[in-house]
Amino acid sequence: MANSTTGIQDDIIARSILQGYTQTIAPLAAFATDFSDSAANPGDRVSVPRLNSAIDAALDKAVGGAYTVQDIDSDAVEVVLSNHKYVSMGADDIEVENSSALVLERYGVRKGNLLAKTVLQDIWSEITNANFGAASFTGLASTFDEDDVADVAEDCDSADWNPDDRYLVLSPAYITALRKAGAIKDTSGYGYNAIQSGDIPMLHGFKIIMSNVIPGNAENLVGFATDGNGIASAFRYVAPQGGNKYTRAESLVGEGGQTLGLRDWYSEDFGNRRIVVEANYGYETGLAAGIKRLVSA
């Protein structure tokens, strides 16, 4: 009797989708986020903590007088879980039996990449002039170098950003421009080799992140700096109703707590296995000073 590989293949697909999703969604860690595999329904609200832009002034202590206790410099953004996106796939009995683990894994990674790209571009659609003001840098990738990054850092200094929690997210063309900069190519004295690894881990106080899914937002957006307070987002698992006939219905939790929902079932009418992986999330614009935009024109 032949061994059934359906369960193994389902696990491969689920793991590979989560892998692809986690890889692409990683830059979202630069923002205030709340991930949880706790069940919640679309339309529910989640409070996401953030820092305030203003901090209460230091006070004079009068002799014999009482202390005035000030609030901590944080509050919360109410995020409505109003977005529900998913990817799906189906395979008939012959396709399932003949598909190799490698093919299934590659297909799952692509599906996960697509879901993450869709979610990220939806959330980053908030990064506009109306929400965050004039661009900190305007220019083509061919004109971009480490000095421009220093100028963006100055804007962040002027906005009183925490120097230990700054991120610069750039599209590939602008990362490439930095890789070609003479000062960055000669980095052996700084503990990393940009030519050998292609990585630029830190520059002028920024953690550098490359993303090829930055939306233009009809404003030529090519990157942005953030201290985490510009956008708040929350993700929750949508549990199916009781009495369902899913083969599997569970949360998938990836690195950093990123949460997706999995629904897996077999259609006897059509003779195929069907899988849906979904993201239930919401987002809100945070502090206007929490993002500095970079545009090409």
Side-chain angles (χ1 to χ4, degrees):
M1 180 177 178
N3 291 325
S4 173
T5 60
T6 301
I8 296 173
Q9 289 168 330
D10 291 347
D11 286 338
I12 290 171
I13 292 173
R15 287 198 310 268
S16 60
I17 290 176
L18 186 60
Q19 175 189 346
Y21 179 86
T22 302
Q23 289 171 348
T24 304
I25 204 77
L28 194 60
F31 292 90
T33 53
D34 188 310
F35 300 111
S36 174
D37 61 353
S38 298
N41 294 317
D44 287 353
R45 295 176 178 271
V46 177
S47 294
V48 181
R50 68 170 184 190
L51 295 178
N52 283 326
S53 57
I55 300 176
D56 291 334
L59 303 177
D60 292 324
K61 174 66 167 65
V63 177
Y67 289 100
T68 298
V69 179
Q70 301 167 324
D71 291 333
I72 60 173
D73 58 325
S74 66
D75 61 5
V77 179
E78 286 289 314
V79 175
V80 180
L81 301 176
S82 57
N83 304 77
H84 190 178
K85 299 188 185 297
Y86 69 93
V87 292
S88 62
M89 63 191 75
D92 62 31
D93 299 333
I94 295 175
E95 289 173 323
V96 169
E97 200 63 34
N98 292 338
S99 296
S100 69
L102 181 59
V103 169
L104 291 173
E105 183 175 3
R106 288 175 175 172
Y107 187 67
V109 168
R110 290 176 60 190
K111 283 286 188 177
N113 287 156
L114 175 61
L115 180 58
K117 176 181 178 179
T118 304
V119 171
L120 263 186
Q121 290 186 332
D122 184 26
I123 295 173
W124 288 351
S125 68
E126 292 289 289
I127 306 177
T128 62
N129 178 66
N131 288 333
F132 299 104
S136 180
F137 168 84
T138 301
L140 298 175
S142 58
T143 70
F144 188 68
D145 61 20
E146 71 280 7
D147 290 338
D148 295 308
V149 177
D151 291 337
V152 176
E154 182 181 9
D155 285 347
C156 300
D157 293 337
S158 299
D160 292 326
W161 283 18
N162 182 347
D164 298 324
D165 198 19
R166 300 181 180 187
Y167 299 85
L168 183 61
V169 183
L170 297 170
S171 63
Y174 288 76
I175 290 288
T176 298
L178 291 179
R179 288 172 178 159
K180 293 178 178 179
I184 293 175
K185 286 194 289 187
D186 184 19
T187 55
S188 57
Y190 301 103
Y192 66 93
N193 189 321
I195 291 180
Q196 186 175 33
S197 67
D199 292 333
I200 307 170
M202 293 285 294
L203 186 61
H204 292 303
F206 291 110
K207 301 175 182 71
I208 305 296
I209 299 173
M210 189 275 285
S211 176
N212 64 351
V213 300
I214 298 172
N217 293 343
E219 296 179 350
N220 303 306
L221 185 71
V222 294
F224 54 87
T226 178
D227 66 349
N229 294 307
I231 299 175
S233 62
F235 290 72
R236 291 294 186 271
Y237 167 58
V238 179
Q241 301 177 50
N244 68 79
K245 296 183 179 180
Y246 291 116
T247 306
R248 295 172 64 191
E250 60 192 51
S251 60
L252 301 176
V253 181
E255 184 178 350
Q258 291 141 356
T259 303
L260 298 173
L262 169 70
R263 299 177 186 231
D264 179 1
W265 72 100
Y266 183 81
S267 171
E268 296 180 359
D269 292 335
F270 294 94
N272 65 8
R273 178 163 296 279
R274 300 177 176 187
I275 294 175
V276 167
V277 177
E278 56 194 351
N280 176 39
Y281 66 98
Y283 57 89
E284 292 289 342
T285 301
L287 302 179
I291 287 179
K292 303 299 180 184
R293 301 181 308 119
L294 286 76
V295 298
S296 61

